[in-house]
Amino acid sequence: MLRFSIVYSVLTGVLLMATGTAGASDSGVGEAERKIVVAHRGASAYLPEHTLPAVAMAYAMGADFMEQDVVMTRDDELIVWHDLTLDRNTDVAQRFPGRAREDGEHYVIDFTLEELRRLQVTEGYAVNEQGEQQANYPDRFPLWQSTFRVHTLAEQLEMVQGMNRSMDRDTGIYPEIKDPAFHREHGKDLSRAVLSELKRFGYDSRDDNVYVQTFDHDELKRVHDELYESLGMELKLVQLIGGDGHDWMVNENGMEELGRYADGVGPHYSRIIDEASTQDNVIITDFVRLAHRNGMAVHPYTFRADEGQVPGYARDFRHMLELFYEEAGIDGAFTDFPDRVIQYIQSR
Ligand code: G3P
Ligand code: CA
């Protein structure tokens, strides 16, 4: 097995651009040569996030995994979409006047799939005090240019599996169960629906190239303790780690608890290199060590090369990658720039 692993590593190193980076290990722990790249919302630095063209581009770049944030529509369809709302990156307000909630936002869960398919999808933007739309990332794909649409989880899985066949690859998927508590409040069991859909597409075992992720600690445990048995499946699980509410996870006891059911953790990268770091003093926390000790891979989010997005303690994006992959010892990363991270891993 070890010999296979070494040969596999060498081969994948040679074939990297043709076949993607090395495949994911079961745990990612202690297999330093097997670093993965997760295309965050597709190749979202280059095309609008969570659109099928962005998925195709990330696939062609050779990302190991495609990330899908998943939310549910009013008529119980699963779509690949990051926000619970539609306002940041569609024309929903113009197309469906009068359908906003009291907070002024239009919620996916209030629309049918047929309605959502009529929306124009674009890059993320905010509206300034003058009422002008301003792109969140000004150097990315232009606002409202070309034509992009909402798509379902099934449509993306069909596409990835189709490309896996035509390209003779096994690119993985990395679906996130997005805010299951919100969906439950609206009478919808998002986790069960997502898992059922994955099973319908043949993803049902830990050997499959899938990580299921969520920020919701109780829900990840529910998936592990109840839903897997109920649905007759078991996929690898990743506990996402966000802000203050997740502080309890980031110590000896917390990591031990997570390690009982999670195969990996997905923290914001500031949990791994302290934000107080400078170029002369990079402070690496014990996060990776604790996760590895408890058998979990570490896949932080979100690595972006846009102007202003590289932390000051790194000289540039490549240096940021070096610090995280080499010095801190992460096993993979979510990135909007899969090509840049693959290029870096190739050159290691
Ligand atoms: O799921 C990993 C990363 O995507 C978490 O952040 O908000 O982009 O889903 P978010
Ligand atoms: Ca996500």
Side-chain angles (χ1 to χ4, degrees):
M1 186 63 188
L2 179 62
R3 178 175 298 174
F4 170 79
S5 186
I6 292 168
V7 171
Y8 180 78
S9 265
V10 171
L11 283 174
T12 49
V14 171
L15 297 173
L16 215 50
M17 281 312 283
T19 63
T21 59
S25 66
D26 278 349
S27 71
V29 180
E31 298 187 45
E33 75 276 20
R34 298 180 127 194
K35 306 287 188 182
I36 67 160
V37 178
V38 184
H40 184 249
R41 313 182 196 173
S44 54
Y46 306 105
L47 286 163
E49 68 184 45
H50 286 327
T51 60
L52 287 175
V55 175
M57 179 179 267
Y59 192 103
M61 287 172 168
D64 299 288
F65 288 84
M66 299 296 145
E67 191 211 19
Q68 303 82 23
D69 295 309
V70 185
V71 298
M72 197 179 265
T73 68
R74 191 173 86 191
D75 51 345
D76 296 342
E77 298 284 348
L78 298 173
I79 65 164
V80 181
W81 197 252
H82 178 268
D83 300 359
L84 295 177
T85 57
L86 298 155
D87 303 81
R88 177 174 60 91
N89 50 352
T90 76
D91 58 351
V92 65
Q94 292 74 44
R95 201 159 293 273
F96 291 101
R99 295 281 296 274
R101 291 193 183 186
E102 281 185 359
D103 63 4
E105 300 272 324
H106 299 76
Y107 284 74
V108 172
I109 210 163
D110 295 336
F111 291 80
T112 64
L113 178 60
E114 185 278 321
E115 289 173 326
L116 295 172
R117 287 197 193 279
R118 286 189 251 156
L119 298 176
Q120 170 74 1
V121 176
T122 189
E123 279 287 322
Y125 64 89
V127 179
N128 67 15
E129 287 178 355
Q130 288 73 46
E132 300 159 342
Q133 294 177 354
Q134 294 193 313
N136 295 337
Y137 296 99
D139 295 330
R140 292 191 178 184
F141 199 89
L143 291 184
W144 306 114
Q145 190 154 306
S146 192
T147 303
F148 300 99
R149 299 291 180 202
V150 169
H151 68 278
T152 64
L153 176 61
E155 286 161 347
Q156 184 167 149
L157 298 181
E158 285 166 3
M159 189 178 187
V160 170
Q161 292 191 343
M163 291 189 290
N164 276 347
R165 178 173 172 145
S166 60
M167 301 287 286
D168 194 21
R169 294 187 193 168
D170 183 22
T171 297
I173 58 168
Y174 213 126
E176 178 180 345
I177 301 167
K178 211 76 192 164
D179 208 335
F182 171 86
H183 284 84
R184 193 172 303 112
E185 285 165 18
H186 290 77
K188 298 186 187 302
D189 188 344
L190 179 62
S191 300
R192 182 177 284 277
V194 169
L195 294 173
S196 298
E197 193 71 328
L198 295 178
K199 184 167 182 182
R200 188 167 77 84
F201 276 82
Y203 301 108
D204 61 5
S205 113
R206 298 178 53 77
D207 294 332
D208 291 321
N209 217 4
V210 185
Y211 284 101
V212 174
Q213 46 162 344
T214 186
F215 281 101
D216 188 318
H217 172 66
D218 292 335
E219 193 71 4
L220 206 68
K221 280 207 298 191
R222 174 177 173 247
V223 168
H224 182 270
D225 296 341
E226 297 173 27
L227 292 182
Y228 277 171
E229 188 176 347
S230 161
L231 293 167
M233 64 192 296
E234 186 179 359
L235 303 170
K236 293 185 285 291
L237 291 174
V238 166
Q239 172 71 58
L240 296 173
I241 299 179
D244 295 347
H246 285 167
D247 283 349
W248 68 267
M249 298 177 184
V250 189
N251 56 44
E252 303 258 357
N253 293 338
M255 287 285 191
E256 198 178 320
E257 162 70 7
L258 300 185
R260 294 198 178 101
Y261 57 90
D263 302 276
V265 277
H268 186 269
Y269 61 74
S270 60
R271 297 273 187 187
I272 295 172
I273 296 185
D274 195 302
E275 284 177 318
S277 297
T278 64
Q279 290 193 13
D280 295 331
N281 182 29
V282 175
I283 305 162
I284 297 174
T285 70
D286 61 357
F287 186 99
V288 173
R289 184 181 61 78
L290 285 175
H292 283 176
R293 187 199 285 167
N294 287 285
M296 296 181 287
V298 180
H299 301 158
Y301 60 87
T302 300
F303 288 69
R304 298 184 168 111
D306 309 88
E307 192 176 342
Q309 295 296 314
V310 176
Y313 54 77
R315 291 190 299 277
D316 52 27
F317 187 59
R318 184 186 168 84
H319 186 221
M320 180 186 183
L321 297 174
E322 279 173 14
L323 289 173
F324 279 88
Y325 275 98
E326 306 298 338
E327 306 299 326
I330 64 171
D331 305 289
F334 291 85
T335 180
D336 294 358
F337 294 80
D339 57 333
R340 301 276 295 270
V341 184
I342 291 165
Q343 192 179 37
Y344 159 74
I345 290 178
Q346 272 189 293
S347 67
R348 287 171 72 224

